[in-house]
Each structure stands twice: as C-alpha cells, then as structure tokens.
Amino acid sequence: MGFTFVTGQDDHVLEDAVRRGVADGLARMLGVPKHPDSVQAMLDSDARAREESVNVPVQATAGTVRTTR
C-alpha cells in the first residue's frame, strides 16, 4: 500500500473571487439599500483622499557616480 502526500495550498485569489461572487449575488437578490446622501459623500471623499495619497508621482533624480582611488 502506498501513500501520496501533497502539501496543502490555499488559493487566495479563487477564495476572494468566490466570496465576491456570493456577496454580489446576495446583494442583487436581497436589494441592498442605498446610503444616505451625506454618508455617500463622506465615503466618496475618503476614497478620493486614499487614491490621491497612493497616486503621488515621485520625481527620481539621477546623480553621477564617482569612484576614487
């Protein structure tokens, strides 16, 4: 009798896709209520602030390399 050992491995991408699909299906089926306008405005401003902080362009400068002997 022989045994085959396989190391377990989680597929996080597939797991996330399944969770998002289930959440999307439930939201469509149950009809998630809309946020009030004041709450939606706050969420939108927070999302814009996060995007702006991430997308800050960085200016790279090149310098000369000197080797001394």
Side-chain angles (χ1 to χ4, degrees):
M1 177 185 256
F3 294 96
T4 302
F5 292 94
V6 178
T7 57
Q9 192 173 353
D10 288 333
D11 188 358
H12 297 291
V13 175
L14 178 62
E15 187 176 328
D16 289 343
V18 169
R19 285 185 181 154
R20 286 185 188 144
V22 169
D24 185 52
L26 287 173
R28 289 178 190 212
M29 186 173 68
L30 300 175
V32 177
K34 213 176 128 181
H35 288 299
D37 292 336
S38 60
V39 173
Q40 188 62 47
M42 183 177 61
L43 292 172
D44 290 342
S45 67
D46 287 346
R48 277 193 302 273
R50 272 187 261 128
E51 287 176 2
E52 289 172 1
S53 67
V54 171
N55 294 329
V56 175
V58 176
Q59 181 89 16
T61 58
T64 59
V65 178
R66 294 185 191 186
T67 36
T68 58
R69 292 182 191 215

